[in-house]
Amino acid sequence: MSSVRRLMATLSSSSSSLWKNGLSLRATQSTSIVRSTALLGYRRTFRRSFVVASSSFDNDNREFVIVGGGNAAGYAARTFVEHGMADGRLCIVSKEAYAPYERPALTKAYLFPLDKKPARLPGFHTCVGSGGERQTPEWYQEKGIETIYNEPVTSIDIEKHTLTTNSGKLLKYGSLIVATGCTASRFPEKIGGNLPGVHYIRDVADADALISSLEKAKKVVIVGGGYIGMEVAAAAVAWKLDTTIVFPENHLLQRLFTPSLAQRYEELYKENGVKFLKGAMIKNLEAGADGSVAAIKLEDGSTIEADTVIIGIGAKPAVGPFESVGLNTTVGGIQVDGQFRTNIPGIFAVGDVAAFPLKLYDRIARVEHVDHARRSAQHCVKALLSAQTHNYDYLPYFYSRVFEYEGSSRKVWWQFFGDNVGEAIEVGNFDPKIATFWIESGKLKGVLLESGSPEEFQLLPELARSQPIVDKDKLENASSVEEALDIARSSLQVKASV
């Protein structure tokens, strides 16, 4: 057995043993030093060992392989580059035809009509969403990163460290990062879920197909009152289309908005011509004479005419072939520890597909958001390549931007940090801004702000992470959002002085 193979076997055995006993591979400083020293020698020889390996493998770069081509993959690639470990070592295999891009654009600026200056690639390739360098396909070539597009991974052999793609390509990996994200939840085919004119949005191809429909649409129906529904409806307004949102809940974005806050947004949408059908259950989608969708039939027997339907009812983690090899998926995603290691040595998972310890609230969570995709990828790669020992400590963060196109009477941008538990206190009249504070046992647990200043938005994560004791009566009696934020800010100072 070569020295490289002996080292791999030793690391694999140690990792497996420590995982089973609930211990961290980096529990002590000495463990970190030994690991870093060992891996240094391992990296010096690893590339050469793979280059002389079987020519039957379809990837040249085999030390690190990322499966998935979304935001997490792009930010992981950047982190490999920053550590000098990408050139000739990193391979990305993706089912998409494009280099990683900032996916949130697909339900926002990408859907604007041509006269509203829509977003287009390469304009929103990763990592421009966080102010970083735009990683075009040429960027990956320049950095020595091998990219394999249009190749969904269909199976994995954890003993041989190989992946097989849809076309039969056999890929070798040393360390594997699963960054497959989610797939859109779909209506069953038997109730019309695959009819022409019915759309789901998860990638550029989906968004392109929707734009083709919007160009000739007259009546648009959006199923779902969450993020996708709200953002697509706002974009449809720019096309001046008859737009209706249908959902079974009592109000928009029920998992975050309070009824009062939702009502404010619903009124704003109505002012822009959007209609709502709340508490509605869909029976099936009906086709017209040409075979395309023509109407939505509800459980109460009524119908809504529609020539374009967008389904935005959530997403499912894309665990795919990784579910059958022993990875823990009982929590709804691939379960990982605070370093994004799975229960199989050498395999990691990041982004939407990962179920990770949410340290701040002491629970396992899976977060479907671009901010987590970015941060988890960076944390995972740093832990893999360096002596970083601290666990991922994520603060839940969500945001949305709607009606932001040229000519809009009011551009809307809100941000939320923390946990929406406890009693909600709303401050402000929504003209021009509004804030909602969630307080539990006297502590500020979460805060949402609409149309704030940059300085005000910067205060939100500090409040949510510190969870200061706040005078609820003072908040309730605040005459403005600015005054309420000052009250919350002063509670931070009180906590710091204690």
Side-chain angles (χ1 to χ4, degrees):
M1 181 182 287
S2 69
S3 60
V4 174
R5 289 179 180 174
R6 282 197 298 271
L7 176 57
M8 289 176 66
T10 300
L11 291 174
S12 177
S13 175
S14 299
S15 175
S16 178
S17 174
L18 289 172
W19 178 273
K20 290 176 182 177
N21 289 283
L23 301 176
S24 168
L25 280 172
R26 303 172 184 82
T28 64
Q29 184 179 8
S30 60
T31 303
S32 299
I33 294 172
V34 169
R35 180 179 183 274
S36 298
T37 304
L39 281 180
L40 181 61
Y42 161 62
R43 289 177 190 137
R44 287 173 177 166
T45 58
F46 198 101
R47 186 183 178 189
R48 183 187 306 165
S49 71
F50 272 154
V51 169
V52 298
S54 170
S55 59
S56 63
F57 298 128
D58 290 288
N59 59 321
D60 294 325
N61 301 358
R62 299 164 190 165
E63 186 170 350
F64 306 105
V65 173
I66 300 172
V67 177
N71 256 299
Y75 280 79
R78 182 174 74 173
T79 311
F80 274 107
V81 169
E82 290 170 349
H83 283 76
M85 294 298 292
D87 190 1
R89 294 178 169 91
L90 176 62
C91 173
I92 298 176
V93 54
S94 170
K95 68 178 182 179
E96 290 201 54
Y98 304 94
Y101 53 87
E102 304 285 349
R103 201 174 298 276
L106 298 180
T107 53
K108 299 181 178 71
Y110 198 86
L111 296 183
F112 294 172
L114 291 178
D115 64 338
K116 305 296 184 184
K117 298 182 179 179
R120 289 292 180 268
L121 290 173
F124 58 98
H125 275 300
T126 302
C127 296
V128 296
S130 61
E133 183 181 5
R134 181 178 289 108
Q135 296 171 196
T136 61
E138 293 74 23
W139 181 90
Y140 292 88
Q141 293 174 6
E142 292 168 0
K143 303 302 181 183
I145 300 171
E146 184 176 9
T147 51
I148 301 174
Y149 300 121
N150 288 311
E151 288 285 355
V153 169
T154 55
S155 65
I156 174 175
D157 187 323
I158 59 173
E159 299 298 329
K160 296 180 180 178
H161 279 216
T162 59
L163 303 164
T164 304
T165 70
N166 190 55
S167 70
K169 283 185 169 62
L170 186 64
L171 310 178
K172 185 75 174 177
Y173 70 86
S175 295
L176 177 66
I177 299 176
V178 181
T180 46
C182 288
T183 58
S185 297
R186 303 176 69 92
F187 273 13
E189 184 175 1
K190 65 181 180 181
I191 68 167
N194 294 339
L195 287 174
V198 177
H199 299 271
Y200 307 84
I201 303 181
R202 200 65 201 175
D203 55 34
V204 168
D206 294 337
D208 285 340
L210 176 55
I211 290 169
S212 295
S213 285
L214 293 175
E215 288 173 342
K216 54 183 181 294
K218 293 181 179 178
K219 291 183 178 293
V220 174
V221 173
I222 297 153
V223 180
Y227 290 100
I228 300 296
M230 291 181 67
E231 292 174 359
V232 172
V237 166
W239 292 81
K240 297 180 171 58
L241 300 174
D242 183 318
T243 304
T244 303
I245 305 180
V246 180
F247 51 92
E249 296 85 12
N250 296 322
H251 61 75
L252 280 176
L253 201 56
Q254 188 154 312
R255 63 177 176 171
L256 176 60
F257 286 173
T258 64
S260 175
L261 185 61
Q263 183 179 355
R264 304 271 193 171
Y265 279 98
E266 288 169 18
E267 289 171 355
L268 175 64
Y269 274 71
K270 288 176 182 177
E271 290 171 6
N272 281 275
V274 177
K275 292 171 283 189
F276 290 94
L277 192 55
K278 297 182 283 186
M281 301 297 292
I282 293 174
K283 184 175 183 180
N284 62 277
L285 309 182
E286 298 183 338
D290 63 353
S292 297
V293 68
I296 294 179
K297 188 171 184 178
L298 305 179
E299 288 287 357
D300 64 7
S302 61
T303 60
I304 311 170
E305 291 184 5
D307 51 40
T308 299
V309 175
I310 302 98
I311 311 294
I313 55 173
K316 299 176 182 179
V319 293
F322 307 103
E323 195 170 19
S324 62
V325 294
L327 290 175
N328 187 350
T329 60
T330 58
V331 289
I334 297 175
Q335 188 164 350
V336 297
D337 66 4
Q339 303 286 346
F340 294 97
R341 298 170 296 196
T342 70
N343 60 313
I344 296 180
I347 300 182
F348 304 77
V350 297
D352 292 5
V353 77
F356 63 97
L358 191 56
K359 185 177 178 181
L360 188 61
Y361 304 119
D362 192 26
R363 63 175 185 255
I364 299 296
R366 195 177 58 78
V367 176
E368 297 173 12
H369 195 267
V370 63
D371 180 64
H372 164 63
R374 295 166 179 163
R375 293 177 186 272
S376 63
Q378 292 168 327
H379 190 100
C380 174
V381 175
K382 287 176 183 177
L384 176 61
L385 299 181
S386 71
Q388 173 179 284
T389 59
H390 66 276
N391 287 326
Y392 189 58
D393 188 10
Y394 186 67
L395 175 67
Y397 162 57
F398 299 97
Y399 75 92
S400 189
R401 302 190 310 273
V402 292
F403 301 115
E404 57 178 345
Y405 42 80
E406 268 190 15
S408 171
S409 59
R410 178 180 172 183
K411 295 176 174 60
V412 172
W413 184 24
W414 60 261
Q415 293 187 30
F416 166 83
F417 286 88
D419 206 8
N420 59 326
V421 294
E423 182 180 354
I425 297 174
E426 185 179 297
V427 181
N429 57 9
F430 205 59
D431 185 20
K433 64 175 63 173
I434 194 169
T436 302
F437 302 85
W438 281 265
I439 297 177
E440 184 180 57
S441 301
K443 290 184 177 181
L444 180 61
K445 304 291 284 189
V447 57
L448 180 147
L449 176 62
E450 151 68 30
S451 300
S453 67
E455 293 76 20
E456 289 169 339
F457 279 133
Q458 288 172 11
L459 175 64
L460 305 189
E462 187 178 0
L463 290 171
R465 186 171 288 281
S466 298
Q467 300 181 37
I469 299 293
V470 177
D471 189 321
K472 188 180 72 171
D473 292 335
K474 283 186 177 181
L475 272 185
E476 289 176 331
N477 294 318
S479 59
S480 66
V481 171
E482 289 82 0
E483 182 182 348
L485 289 173
D486 282 340
I487 292 169
R489 185 184 289 107
S490 64
S491 68
L492 282 175
Q493 296 168 353
V494 170
K495 182 176 180 178
S497 65
V498 173

